[in-house]
Amino acid sequence: MTAEPMRFCALLFAGDDKATPDLTALTVARALADQSGTTAHALVIGPQRAQALENAMALGLDDIVVCAGMDAAEPWQPGQILALLADMLQASPPGRAADPNVLYLVSADPLHEEVAARLAARLGAVPLGRVQSIGIGASGEVTAVRSAYGGRLRATQRVQTGPATASVRAGATAPGDNAVTKRNPTAVHEIAVPIADESAFEIVACSQAEIHAPVDGASIVVSGGRGIGDPAGFELLYDIALQLDGAVGASLPAVDAGLAPVARQVGQSGKYVRPDIYLAVGISGTPQHMAGIDPLTRVVAINADPEAPIFGMSRVGIVGDWKQILPALKRTLSE
Amino acid sequence: MHVAVLLCGVADPRRPLARPATGKWLDLIDAPTTPFKLSPFDEAALEVALKLRDRDPSVRVTALVTDGAGDVALMRTVASFRPDFVAGIPTPADRRADPDWLSHAIPAALNGLAAPPVDLWLMGREQGDLDDGVAPAFIAERWGLPFVGLALAVQRAGHAWQCDRIFGNQVQTIRVPGPVVASVTNDRGNRLRHPLMKNVALARQLKIDMLNPGDTAMHTPAGSAAIGQISRIALEPLESGRRTKSPCRMLEGSVADQAQALADYLRAGHATPVQS
């Protein structure tokens, strides 16, 4: 018996901390539906839902369910978002909620990933994790590829039927993506579901993690590793990043050493970045770290060790001591 | 108070991976040539548990190891931190990277041990080499427990737990009624201590228990993904390919020359973004 092809549903929390919500999940849902000849849907919640809805309609999704009248929560917590999305799935247009044959897609960030993992547990869905690429196989199955073993192995998972969940990061490919030029207009359903207050934790204290520019979306990332080993070195990185209108990143050992907050950690276990240029200072270039940098990004390396693997992955390099190079670079950039 | 730490070994990141004798990369976990280590996140979770015991010696710490449970050196490393109970829960070959299995296997394995109920479950933010953060949240939801992701520190606050966590661009302190599952991320404040030498020596003599979840863990209860539906994972090596076709252009000369050339490249490159 041949299984019915899956449908694809993007789950999007459009928070108020980003000017432009990450629409990757919606884009991938559309592409997968086109490949498999099924339909693409979205559930959208959050303060920025109006803008997200506009963008989602431009992507040509078949239908979008928007939750209206719930702007009270601040800040939104994953448990609340999960409860709301689960309620929306139940309240979706007739025939939708009863169909379990769906792949739910979210963007690859900690909040959406937590929601997707918990939703998978609730629905009895297969959690595919944070996929690098996703497409439809020869037998109509969803084929998802992700990184494993610290970026040293590639893991391929296949699911024939839903429910399943996956998080997709910016730049995730959908092999065989075909542009469909003519579609029916997107059907928009607005529903009202109350926020479940009991799913929120008591917040005792809350502070802004940092004043510096976030690494997400930066067009140039100036990143430091264990080789810096000195807070003064990171101060220089922040200065240079500011001069270049970029942001500071860090390797896991640098975060471990307290040189940078975990929000700046780049790598398989941290942020995935897609800048034009990634300036790696005192970073050896382990697979775990390089897994967090887009292959199209140009890597520039400064390292005291001429044998450091990072030079094999860089366009431009300097063998030298950061304590000499960075101050000189800062001076030069200020001229 | 009972704190359980769920640990999952990772293949030593400083050593190249060797293909197992079976030829299947998925068998790395059983390959005797692959040494296992604690991930930075598991180390942080263990340290959080030890800190809780430092503050209150009545805290009981249980350490359970799944992937890498067969690696004696790893188990001795865990034992050298003197948890009150340490045991392995070997993962069946066909249930790796399966948080659904973990959610059933852990309670089943603990069933029968005369241990008090767990008040706090701690895990690294990723469960071993095959998880990218799904497992902790999935398991918490399956168990019907509150979940705190990306915790930096945890302490007791009356009958609740107080957790510092990273949430977006904020550092939050939240209070959660127990029992709780918390995934811990690496931070300067939770770097794993060094074990005492006498405890390292004691751990060498310790007989490590292996817990068997039994057949119950293979049963698929209502609400779980059907066995036939669970995807199987195929692993293959990534090409350790170069990111560039041409060799790295090394900037030579004096420091001032190098800085000037680098500044020129950064400015020019910044102005001409890569076409994707």
Side-chain angles (χ1 to χ4, degrees), chain A residues 17 75-78 82 110-111 113-114 117-132 146-164 201-210 219-220 226 240 244-246 252 255-258 262-263 265 268-270 274 276-277 279 288 290-291 293-300 302 311-319 324-325 328-329 332-335, chain B residues 10-17 25-26 28-29 34 36 40-41 43 67 97 99 125-126 129-135 137-139 141-142 145-150 152 162 165-177 185-188 190-191 223-226 229-239 241-244 246-252 255-256 258-260 262-270 272-276:
Chain A
D17 58 338
W76 284 70
Q77 298 186 25
L82 171 71
L111 188 150
E113 288 179 339
E114 179 183 329
R118 293 171 64 177
L119 186 67
R122 282 196 184 192
L123 298 177
V126 175
L128 294 172
R130 188 187 308 139
V131 304
Q132 291 175 316
R146 63 183 171 88
S147 184
Y149 281 85
R152 291 175 289 177
L153 296 181
R154 177 171 46 222
T156 303
Q157 292 173 281
R158 292 181 171 82
V159 283
Q160 194 76 46
T161 60
F201 298 139
E202 178 192 356
I203 298 175
V204 179
C206 184
S207 60
Q208 197 73 15
E210 279 194 301
S219 60
I220 184 163
R226 191 206 311 263
I240 290 167
L244 293 166
D245 196 20
L252 185 147
V255 172
D256 264 358
V262 72
Q265 187 170 308
Q268 179 170 350
S269 299
R274 309 180 70 207
D276 301 324
I277 293 180
L279 175 58
Q288 291 89 337
M290 301 310 288
I293 306 168
D294 191 84
L296 291 173
T297 291
R298 285 169 284 179
V299 178
V300 176
I302 299 173
F311 289 122
M313 296 171 267
S314 301
R315 300 277 185 101
V316 171
I318 294 177
V319 176
Q324 294 181 323
I325 305 290
L329 177 62
T332 307
L333 287 171
S334 65
E335 288 168 0
Chain B
V10 296
D12 189 341
R14 296 184 183 179
R15 295 177 59 159
L17 294 177
W25 286 103
L26 207 54
L28 266 175
I29 290 167
T34 305
F36 276 77
F41 312 124
E43 287 187 348
D67 291 1
R125 66 186 267 196
E126 297 172 359
D129 276 321
L130 286 167
D131 177 55
D132 44 28
V134 167
F138 185 100
I139 290 170
E141 192 69 25
R142 266 293 154 75
L145 296 180
F147 175 72
V148 178
L150 301 181
L152 304 171
Q162 188 160 300
R165 69 167 176 180
I166 295 286
F167 189 76
N169 61 351
Q170 296 177 334
V171 177
Q172 291 183 346
T173 300
I174 56 172
R175 200 165 285 162
V176 188
T185 192
N186 54 316
D187 182 64
R188 179 172 47 182
N190 58 31
R191 293 192 73 182
S224 295
Q229 179 194 329
I230 291 172
S231 70
R232 297 286 176 245
I233 291 185
L235 292 174
E236 56 188 329
L238 276 172
E239 298 125 17
R242 304 176 61 86
R243 300 171 74 92
T244 64
S246 53
C248 180
R249 178 163 68 90
M250 304 306 294
L251 303 181
E252 310 285 357
V255 168
Q258 290 174 314
Q260 184 64 58
L262 179 56
D264 292 344
Y265 183 86
L266 294 172
R267 286 179 179 134
H270 198 18
T272 54
V274 176
Q275 297 299 311
S276 59

Side-chain angles (χ1 to χ4, degrees), chain A residues 52-139:
Chain A
L53 175 63
E54 187 179 323
N55 296 335
M57 290 175 70
L59 291 170
L61 270 67
D62 293 279
D63 69 33
I64 301 170
V65 180
V66 184
C67 190
M70 32 36 126
D71 293 324
E74 179 61 38
W76 284 70
Q77 298 186 25
Q80 293 173 295
I81 296 168
L82 171 71
L84 192 54
L85 288 172
D87 287 347
M88 288 175 73
L89 286 173
Q90 289 296 319
S92 287
R96 286 270 306 282
D99 180 6
N101 196 17
V102 178
L103 172 63
Y104 296 98
L105 295 150
V106 299
S107 62
D109 59 67
L111 188 150
H112 281 94
E113 288 179 339
E114 179 183 329
V115 168
R118 293 171 64 177
L119 186 67
R122 282 196 184 192
L123 298 177
V126 175
L128 294 172
R130 188 187 308 139
V131 304
Q132 291 175 316
S133 66
I134 188 164
I136 305 298
S139 305

